[in-house]
């Protein structure tokens, strides 16, 4: 099992980039890409301004990230993803929509939260349809774990919010169990409950896939305990 100093990795790097995606990376990485070497990220410098910031972890092909960045030009959006094809797509999408409020880190989000983000600097963290790792022997690879919850809490502003969604009921139950047990977080829906699907949450590829398979969708929202 692929392992980092922080535990088993929540992903396997797979899939090939198309030529267009590789071209987008070559041309647009200097515009939107953020090199991460483990040092703290200076987000004010990277975005060239001070603004409320959203971090989306595992944005996949970036539908949600691009839609939100276009909808909220007053906010900054940091996307963290390891999948090269998705990074290529989102870079091309950001250029096509002429977005200036997006930056992309191609790296393990656990490490980015561990050393890259200052305490209290993030207004919103999004984790939509993370890999469910359905087999019991792989559950340790799930992104939502007690240690990672603590890293998210540390990064969140005191009035910040953590939003999650999944179409895999056992993972939804796991998320609630882990996050309800984190003393610094409050489940907005009440302990062991889910929120109704937010109407303004853009539909993503993996949500559509879940719906095609007949899965119910579970939305969760947590805020730092006052
Ligand atoms: C099932 S896909 C969902 C993509 C997208 N959010 C959606 O709803 O369509 C999960 C994504 O999370 C990414 N991922 C998994 N673990 C990650 C990690 N530790 N850091 C960054 N990205 C990760 C994967 O590469 C994959 O693209």
């Amino acid at each position: 099992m692929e392992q980092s100093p922080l535990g088993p990795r929540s992903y396997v790097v797979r899939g090939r980039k198309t030529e267009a995606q590789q071209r987008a990376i070559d041309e647009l990485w200097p515009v939107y890409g953020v090199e991460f070497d483990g040092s703290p990220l200076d987000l004010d410098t990277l975005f060239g301004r001070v603004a409320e910031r959203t971090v989306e972890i595992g944005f996949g092909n970036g539908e949600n990230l691009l839609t939100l960045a276009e909808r909220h030009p007053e906010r900054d959006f940091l996307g963290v993803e390891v999948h090269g094809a998705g990074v290529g797509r989102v870079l091309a999408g950001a250029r096509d929509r002429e977005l200036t409020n997006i930056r992309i880190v191609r790296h393990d989000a656990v490490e980015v939260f561990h050393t890259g983000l200052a305490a209290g600097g993030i207004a919103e963290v999004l984790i939509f349809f993370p890999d469910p790792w359905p087999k019991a022997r792989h559950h340790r690879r799930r992104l939502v774990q007690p240690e990672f919850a603590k890293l998210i809490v540390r990064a969140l502003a005191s009035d910040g919010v953590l939003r999650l969604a999944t179409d895999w009921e056992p993972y939804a139950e796991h998320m609630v169990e882990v996050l309800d047990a984190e003393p610094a977080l409050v489940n907005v829906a009440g302990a062991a409950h889910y929120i109704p699907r937010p109407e303004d949450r853009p539909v993503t590829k993996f949500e559509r896939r879940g719906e095609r398979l007949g899965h119910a969708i579970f939305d969760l929202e947590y805020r730092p305990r006052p």
Side-chain angles (χ1 to χ4, degrees), residues 10-12 14 56-61 63 80-83 107-110 128-132 143 204-207:
S10 59
Y11 58 88
V12 279
R14 61 186 181 290
E56 181 171 6
I57 300 171
F59 55 73
N61 66 15
E63 284 162 298
V80 186
E81 174 57 74
V82 288
H83 187 45
H107 202 91
D108 186 338
V110 178
F128 293 150
F129 303 91
D131 299 296
L143 181 65
T204 67
K205 176 177 166 187
F206 277 84
E207 178 166 13

Side-chain angles (χ1 to χ4, degrees), residues 126-186:
L126 308 177
I127 305 178
F128 293 150
F129 303 91
D131 299 296
W133 293 107
K135 292 182 184 156
R137 70 172 191 277
H138 287 150
H139 285 179
R140 284 187 327 119
R141 300 189 70 141
R142 287 176 171 167
L143 181 65
V144 177
Q145 300 292 352
E147 306 74 31
F148 191 43
K150 289 206 182 302
L151 297 180
I152 293 175
V153 166
R154 185 185 150 279
L156 272 180
S158 54
D159 58 350
V161 58
L162 165 64
R163 301 181 206 278
L164 309 96
T166 181
D167 64 315
W168 188 248
E169 189 166 5
Y171 198 4
E173 290 165 358
H174 167 94
M175 288 174 176
V176 161
E177 196 182 309
V178 168
L179 299 173
D180 280 14
E182 169 48 58
L185 288 174
V186 178

